[in-house]
Structure formats: structure tokens, C-alpha cells
């Protein structure tokens, strides 16, 4: 008799589901998450499969309900979850399904993964209206574009009332006052709303407990701006970095000279696009302009050649190329997709192929396969110098055989570049003005004029120049470089691209040396002698020497040079 009554109840619930209107849990609802009990354990189902979309809960009155994202509220899975609760003999609330904001469902997931039966409250009673969050999102992106920032950093910690909002400008983190008082809750909700528009991301909702990646776009002042999302879990919270991607199509091929390359470097870049078969690799720190330089180079390949790119994501529009985005960040799926595209490229008769970044053995195998098939290959890696690119390529992570790196023609050009702050030419001070000022050296307290002179002479000996031609940043700035939101940028005007290049074909001893000596030992030997009169690498000038030329020309503050290339001299005085 009891079984019959139970079946009748389940049948009744099933009939109601077909006609029931799904409820909406308002962001103003004062229901505390501490009073809600998760029911995955009662159902004996794998919460990992559906928790990012819906969660079965017991409400404070003892009734059961399914909290679900709007796009899944009327799906068969949500209905099946309600029926499973009814089969347990639980009283089903009305409505049985409740649409909840992504941030609240994400908080339920966080508590579930931490093994808590009673999630912590997010204080949703003061939740921010969605249109306000969207306006804040656009303000952040708009400010970044206006200030020429490369990244936006949003860090939230549950133990702090306010979030940390920073922008990367000229390689430094800047924290504008106007965003310094944003509450942790508001930024949390902003991230939850923004994640709803992410493409190719891992996870249906913004998750505080795992690293997430993806990309999204916003229309700012009539222009589409792409942002690449990367989050990392930190103590008591999460930090999200949005990299701004250039989505503007260049109308004319950019001049590599305009990017800051020297005349001989420009010629080497052009030579690297000629012929059939060979590898061109750019290296540098994050934000050093590798992708920009590579896109500018690809734009100069003549239309008589077929160009294909594999990028994750596509950052620049290259008119003369067939650009293939490799979407998705789940490792196996992305790997399978890349492998599928690589199999097709050789059959597509491409002359030039760009692989956005070499990260693993799959990319290394693709380079070997394509170069040996007579294709020009262009890519980027993370390395600390042009010579260290060879070490990186031959590492176990990428796995290009040393024997191939020693094969004549396999490597065409290795480029390592950085971006350094350029002094404002309008207000930069002469050396003698700096000697008489109160400005100090990096990491030191007030020192005398004599100590400053000793420091200048030591640096002049190290760089082979005359300190009297040097110029220094004026911290007061001028009308040309004032920035009320970023005091650290005052006195500077844009950045200089400084690059070192290694062109193996122009060095007679390069390939024989690699063929007769272990690559690691040979690279170390070359690195020690690089730039000296004893170096056998003709034409190879390390970035420190290139930067020294800009120092002597008065374009770089000597203190910035020391911080980057000669930190030991900070204590010279």
C-alpha cells in the first residue's frame, strides 16, 4: 500500500513538471546559503557531472528543490532530478525548479568540493543588478584601452572586504584609485556574469576552486575587443587575468621599422620568410610583443604564398592568411583538435604555417614534420634569450631532436625581445640635473652627489659609454606625459622594442659546433662569450648591448637599465 502511494506521488510530480512554471530566485532574496542542504549524497549520483548546471537542495522548511541555471531549467535532466527526489519520498517544493544566479550556484559548487554540507553564505541579499555589473565591466575595459594596458587583473579574497584591481601598463601593475574600493562581492558577481559570455571555457559557471581559461568579447565605443581569460586559485580566493587582444584589422601592412627593429634586424626578418622549409621562433616575457611582431611579419609574406595559422586564440587579423582558431581549453579536447588540424595542413599545400605557441611535444612534432616537408614554420616559446630558444626546443617538454637543430637550414632565425620604458623626450633631465636632485638610486636611501657620480662611472665602465650623455626620468613629468591615474608612468612616453637575433646561416661555425658538441654545453659556452670580442657568433648582439645603445642615446633611464640588466650595480654606490 505504501509503495502504491509512493508511486502515485511520483506520478503526480511527473504530471506537474510538464505544466509547472519554473521559479526564479531573485538576487534580492534573503535566503542564506547556510540554511540550504545539498542532496547529492542522498541521491547517490556523481555531482561532478551536473553540479555546474544544477544542484538538488533541501530548503529550510524541509522541502526539496532543484536549483538550476536558466538555460537548463526546462531540460530533461532537471526534471529527472526532481523525480529522483520524489522517489526518495521527499516533499517537493513548489516550484520544484528554481533558476538561480551563476554566482550562487558557483558558491554551492565551491562548498561541495570542500566537502561541506552547509555552504557558506555569499551575502546575496545585497547583490548588484546585472546592468550595473555590465557597466562596470565596460568601464574596466574602457579604462584599460585608454591607458594602453595589456592586462586587467581582478583578485578576490573572502577574508578581505575589497578586491584588488590592477592593470598592466608598460610592464608594471597599476592600481587606479577609482577602482580601489570595489567590494569583493561586487567583483565576484562581475566575474560570474562575465564568465557567462566566455567561449571555449572549462566549466559552465565561474568557479572559485579551479583554474579556468577561455575568451570573450565586448563592444567598446563601437569596436569589438577580445579578452583572454585565465584564472588561478590563490589563498582564500582567486585571481583572474584578462589579456586584451587586438581585434582591429590593419588596413596596411605594418612597418617592422615602426615596431623598433634596427635596419639589419629588419633585413634578417625579411630573409626568414624566403625559401622553403625552416623554423622562425620568437621568445620573450609575457607582454613583450611577440604576437604583434609575428603578425606584422606574416603580413609581409607575398600573396603568391599560401599562409595558414593555428592560434589559441586568434589575436590579430592577418588578411593574407587562413587563420584557424584552436578553441577549447580542456587538455585532451584541445590536443585532439590540434592534432586533427595538423594532419590536414600538409595536404593543404601551405607554404608558411604559424603555430601560435610551442607548449608540448605535439607542437614539437608538428614543427619537425612541417619543416622537413619544406614548409616555413613560425612560432613563439618562453625563453630567456635567443640562444636559450635552442635549449627550450630540445627540452623534454617540446622534444625537437638535437640532431635536427644541428641540421643546416632547419633553424632560420631565433628572436628574443623585450619592451623597456622610453623616457619622455620633452621633460627628461640631463645627468648633471639628476646629480643635483634629491632622486635616489633603486633600493637605496638618500645618497650624496659624490656617491651618485661613483655609481654613474661604474655603470659607464660596464656599458662602455659616457654618462654625461645620459638622461633621467623627471618624476614631476610634463603636459605630454602626465597621468593622474598612474604616477609610475609619469616621465615616460611609450616603450622601446629591444631585440637580439641569431641567424644560423650567417655563422659558419654554428651547425658544425652543434653537430660535434652536446647542445646544452655549446649553448652555455656561446652564452658566456655572447657580445664579446671572442664570440664566434658574428652579428649576434645580446639585448643588454642593444639596450646600452639606447641608454647612451638618452632614451632609457640608467636606473631602469640597471634594474633589468645589471642589478648588482644597484649596490655599487
Amino acid at each position: 500500500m505504501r509503495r502504491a502511494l509512493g508511486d502515485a506521488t511520483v506520478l503526480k510530480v511527473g504530471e506537474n513538471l510538464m505544466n509547472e512554471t519554473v521559479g526564479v530566485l531573485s538576487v534580492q532574496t534573503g535566503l542564506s546559503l547556510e540554511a540550504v542542504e545539498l542532496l547529492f549524497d542522498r541521491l547517490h549520483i556523481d555531482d561532478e557531472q551536473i553540479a555546474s548546471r544544477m544542484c538538488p537542495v533541501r530548503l529550510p522548511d524541509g522541502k526539496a528543490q532543484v536549483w538550476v541555471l536558466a538555460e537548463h531549467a526546462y531540460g530533461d535532466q532537471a526534471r529527472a532530478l526532481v523525480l529522483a527526489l520524489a522517489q526518495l519520498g521527499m516533499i517537493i517544493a513548489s516550484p520544484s525548479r528554481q533558476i538561480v544566479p551563476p554566482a550562487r550556484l558557483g558558491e554551492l559548487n565551491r562548498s561541495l568540493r570542500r566537502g561541506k554540507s552547509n555552504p557558506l553564505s555569499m551575502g546575496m541579499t545585497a547583490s548588484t543588478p546585472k546592468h550595473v555589473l555590465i557597466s562596470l565591466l565596460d568601464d574596466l575595459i574602457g579604462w584599460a584601452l585608454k591607458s594602453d594596458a595589456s592586462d586587467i587583473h581582478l583578485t578576490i579574497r573572502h577574508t578581505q572586504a575589497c578586491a584588488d584591481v590592477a592593470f598592466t601598463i608598460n610592464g608594471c601593475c597599476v592600481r587606479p584609485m577609482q577602482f580601489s574600493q570595489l567590494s569583493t562581492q561586487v567583483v565576484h558577481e562581475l566575474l560570474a556574469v562575465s564568465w557567462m559570455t566566455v567561449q571555449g571555457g572549462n566549466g559552465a559557471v565561474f568557479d572559485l576552486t579551479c583554474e579556468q581559461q577561455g575568451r570573450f568579447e565586448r563592444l567598446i565605443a563601437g569596436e569589438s575587443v577580445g579578452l583572454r581569460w585565465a584564472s588561478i586559485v590563490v589563498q582564500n580566493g582567486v585571481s583572474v587575468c584578462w589579456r586584451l587582444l587586438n581585434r582591429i584589422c590593419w588596413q596596411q601592412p605594418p612597418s617592422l621599422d615602426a615596431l623598433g627593429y634596427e635596419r639589419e634586424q629588419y633585413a634578417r626578418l625579411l630573409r626568414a620568410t624566403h625559401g622553403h622549409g625552416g623554423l622562425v621562433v620568437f621568445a620573450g616575457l609575457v607582454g613583450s610583443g611577440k604576437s604583434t611582431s609575428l603578425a606584422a611579419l606574416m603580413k609581409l609574406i607575398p600573396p603568391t604564398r599560401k599562409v595558414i595559422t593555428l592560434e589559441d586564440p586568434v589575436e590579430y587579423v592577418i588578411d593574407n592568411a587562413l587563420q584557424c582558431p584552436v578553441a577549447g581549453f580542456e587538455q585532451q579536447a584541445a590536443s585532439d583538435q590540434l592534432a586533427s588540424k595538423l594532419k590536414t595542413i600538409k595536404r593543404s599545400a601551405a607554404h608558411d604555417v604559424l603555430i601560435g605557441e610551442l607548449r608540448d611535444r605535439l607542437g614539437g612534432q608538428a614543427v619537425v614534420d612541417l619543416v622537413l616537408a619544406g614548409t616555413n614554420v613560425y612560432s613563439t616559446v618562453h625563453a630567456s634569450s635567443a640562444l636559450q630558444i635552442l635549449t627550450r626546443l630540445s627540452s623534454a617538454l617540446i622534444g625537437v631532436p638535437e640532431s635536427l637543430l644541428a641540421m643546416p637550414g632547419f633553424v632560420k632565425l631565433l628572436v628574443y625581445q623585450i619592451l623597456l620604458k622610453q623616457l619622455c623626450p620633452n621633460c627628461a633631465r640631463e645627468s648633471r640635473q639628476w646629480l643635483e636632485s634629491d632622486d635616489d638610486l633603486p633600493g637605496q636611501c638618500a645618497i650624496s652627489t659624490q656617491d651618485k657620480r661613483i655609481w654613474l662611472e661604474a655603470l659607464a665602465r660596464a656599458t662602455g659609454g659616457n654618462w654625461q650623455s645620459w638622461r633621467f626620468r623627471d618624476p614631476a613629468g610634463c603636459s605630454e606625459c602626465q597621468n593622474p591615474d598612474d604616477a609610475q608612468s609619469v616621465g615616460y612616453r611609450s616603450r622601446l622594442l629591444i631585440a637580439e637575433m641569431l641567424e644560423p646561416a650567417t655563422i659558419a661555425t654554428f651547425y658544425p659546433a652543434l653537430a660535434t658538441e652536446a647542445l646544452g654545453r655549446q649553448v652555455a659556452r656561446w652564452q658566456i662569450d655572447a657580445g664579446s670580442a671572442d664570440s664566434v657568433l658574428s652579428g649576434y648582439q645580446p639585448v643588454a648591448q642593444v639596450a646600452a645603445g639606447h641608454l647612451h642615446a638618452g632614451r632609457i633611464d640608467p636606473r631602469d637599465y640597471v634594474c633589468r640588466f645589471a642589478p648588482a650595480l644597484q649596490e655599487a654606490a
Side-chain angles (χ1 to χ4, degrees):
M1 180 65 178
R2 183 175 298 174
R3 172 65 182 272
L5 288 174
D7 291 344
T9 300
V10 173
L11 182 60
K12 183 65 175 177
V13 170
E15 292 175 353
N16 291 339
L17 283 173
M18 303 308 297
N19 303 309
E20 180 187 53
T21 300
V22 177
V24 178
L25 188 65
S26 170
V27 293
Q28 303 299 332
T29 300
L31 178 62
S32 171
L33 296 185
E34 293 178 343
V36 175
E37 178 188 355
L38 286 169
L39 298 175
F40 279 115
D41 290 342
R42 294 285 302 274
L43 293 172
H44 302 290
I45 62 176
D46 185 1
D47 57 85
E48 293 293 334
Q49 298 296 320
I50 63 172
S52 62
R53 303 187 295 276
M54 62 194 73
C55 287
V57 299
R58 189 202 301 269
L59 301 176
D61 61 4
K63 295 180 180 179
Q65 191 177 59
V66 173
W67 286 10
V68 59
L69 295 180
E71 58 267 35
H72 303 288
Y74 290 93
D76 292 338
Q77 203 167 40
R79 293 191 180 100
L81 204 54
V82 173
L83 288 174
L85 292 171
Q87 287 171 343
L88 285 177
M90 303 192 71
I91 301 174
I92 305 300
S94 180
S96 63
R97 291 158 292 167
Q98 192 88 278
I99 294 174
V100 297
R104 178 165 289 198
L105 195 64
E107 189 67 9
L108 278 171
N109 277 305
R110 180 176 68 86
S111 299
L112 180 64
R113 287 186 173 87
R114 291 182 179 177
K116 296 180 180 179
S117 58
N118 292 319
L120 296 173
S121 172
M122 280 185 57
M124 294 294 288
T125 55
S127 185
T128 310
K130 185 175 179 179
H131 71 277
V132 175
L133 296 174
I134 295 299
S135 178
L136 173 58
L137 171 63
D138 290 346
D139 285 346
L140 288 167
I141 300 173
W143 195 94
L145 293 172
K146 180 190 70 173
S147 304
D148 196 25
S150 59
D151 302 89
I152 303 173
H153 307 272
L154 305 171
T155 302
I156 54 176
R157 291 185 173 88
H158 304 301
T159 56
Q160 297 181 4
C162 292
D164 180 25
V165 180
F167 299 78
T168 301
I169 302 175
N170 291 332
C172 298
C173 282
V174 177
R175 293 172 171 82
M177 286 298 297
Q178 65 196 81
F179 300 117
S180 63
Q181 298 301 312
L182 288 177
S183 72
T184 296
Q185 176 174 321
V186 167
V187 175
H188 186 169
E189 294 169 354
L190 168 68
L191 292 170
V193 168
S194 302
W195 182 261
M196 295 174 67
T197 65
V198 165
Q199 304 168 11
N202 54 316
V205 297
F206 172 58
D207 195 333
L208 295 168
T209 65
C210 67
E211 278 71 26
Q212 293 180 294
Q213 298 185 70
R215 60 160 297 137
F216 66 103
E217 294 188 4
R218 289 296 299 165
L219 195 64
I220 307 294
E223 294 182 354
S224 179
V225 179
L227 297 102
R228 185 174 63 205
W229 178 306
S231 66
I232 183 170
V233 177
V234 298
Q235 182 69 24
N236 296 320
V238 67
S239 183
V240 177
C241 176
W242 291 340
R243 164 60 59 89
L244 276 76
L245 308 175
N246 188 350
R247 301 293 295 160
I248 301 175
C249 178
W250 289 328
Q251 299 303 314
Q252 297 294 331
S255 168
L256 289 174
D257 281 329
L259 293 180
Y261 292 108
E262 297 178 354
R263 184 180 297 275
E264 176 56 30
Q265 292 177 335
Y266 177 80
R268 290 183 176 186
L269 286 165
L270 286 184
R271 283 199 297 270
T273 64
H274 300 160
H276 298 279
L279 177 63
V280 178
V281 184
F282 283 74
L285 300 174
V286 174
S288 60
K290 301 185 297 294
S291 297
T292 301
S293 298
L294 200 49
L297 181 62
M298 302 300 287
K299 293 277 287 186
L300 296 182
I301 296 175
T304 55
R305 302 175 66 90
K306 184 174 184 178
V307 181
I308 296 178
T309 75
L310 297 178
E311 303 171 76
D312 179 16
V314 173
E315 296 191 28
Y316 288 85
V317 174
I318 305 174
D319 290 335
N320 59 320
L322 302 175
Q323 295 182 267
C324 304
V326 183
F329 288 86
E330 194 279 314
Q331 186 174 8
Q332 188 59 48
S335 179
D336 291 345
Q337 185 186 35
L338 179 59
S340 175
K341 288 183 180 295
L342 289 172
K343 288 180 180 178
T344 309
I345 282 182
K346 283 198 300 180
R347 299 171 186 171
S348 299
H351 299 96
D352 301 84
V353 173
L354 182 152
I355 301 175
E357 181 181 346
L358 294 179
R359 301 169 178 161
D360 51 29
R361 296 186 71 86
L362 179 61
Q365 292 168 7
V367 165
V368 171
D369 196 20
L370 291 168
V371 171
L372 293 181
T375 305
N376 289 335
V377 179
Y378 310 80
S379 191
T380 66
V381 296
H382 290 288
S384 57
S385 70
L387 280 168
Q388 289 301 328
I389 294 175
L390 294 170
T391 308
R392 178 72 168 168
L393 292 175
S394 64
S395 68
L397 190 64
I398 298 177
V400 177
E402 292 185 13
S403 59
L404 290 181
L405 295 175
M407 179 186 295
F410 188 90
V411 176
K412 278 189 172 182
L413 185 65
L414 304 175
V415 182
Y416 173 77
Q417 63 185 48
I418 62 173
L419 295 174
L420 287 183
K421 293 181 180 180
Q422 182 174 214
L423 291 169
C424 175
N426 191 50
C427 65
R429 296 185 294 184
E430 303 294 335
S431 296
R432 296 194 177 278
Q433 291 178 287
W434 178 75
L435 280 173
E436 299 169 0
S437 71
D438 295 330
D439 285 3
D440 300 321
L441 295 177
Q444 295 191 11
C445 300
I447 61 175
S448 67
T449 300
Q450 181 60 27
D451 288 335
K452 286 184 176 180
R453 187 183 294 273
I454 293 173
W455 180 81
L456 286 172
E457 291 173 351
L459 182 56
R461 288 193 298 272
T463 59
N466 184 348
W467 62 264
Q468 296 185 11
S469 66
W470 298 350
R471 304 184 77 191
F472 288 77
R473 167 190 175 233
D474 184 351
C478 64
S479 59
E480 299 295 325
C481 63
Q482 286 285 355
N483 188 340
D485 296 314
D486 180 14
Q488 297 302 313
S489 293
V490 174
Y492 295 107
R493 189 91 63 83
S494 72
R495 290 189 288 176
L496 282 170
L497 187 152
I498 299 174
E500 63 181 42
M501 293 186 181
L502 186 62
E503 189 177 13
T506 64
I507 304 171
T509 60
F510 181 87
Y511 292 116
L514 284 186
T516 57
E517 181 70 271
L519 185 141
R521 288 197 293 271
Q522 185 59 60
V523 167
R525 188 176 296 117
W526 281 336
Q527 194 79 64
I528 292 172
D529 296 335
S532 69
D534 298 329
S535 176
V536 298
L537 301 179
S538 58
Y540 175 61
Q541 189 178 21
V543 287
Q545 288 188 356
V546 179
H550 291 288
L551 169 66
H552 302 324
R555 301 187 189 99
I556 298 174
D557 190 305
R559 294 165 295 185
D560 293 336
Y561 179 91
V562 165
C563 287
R564 179 63 178 82
F565 299 107
L569 284 176
Q570 292 185 26
E571 304 299 327

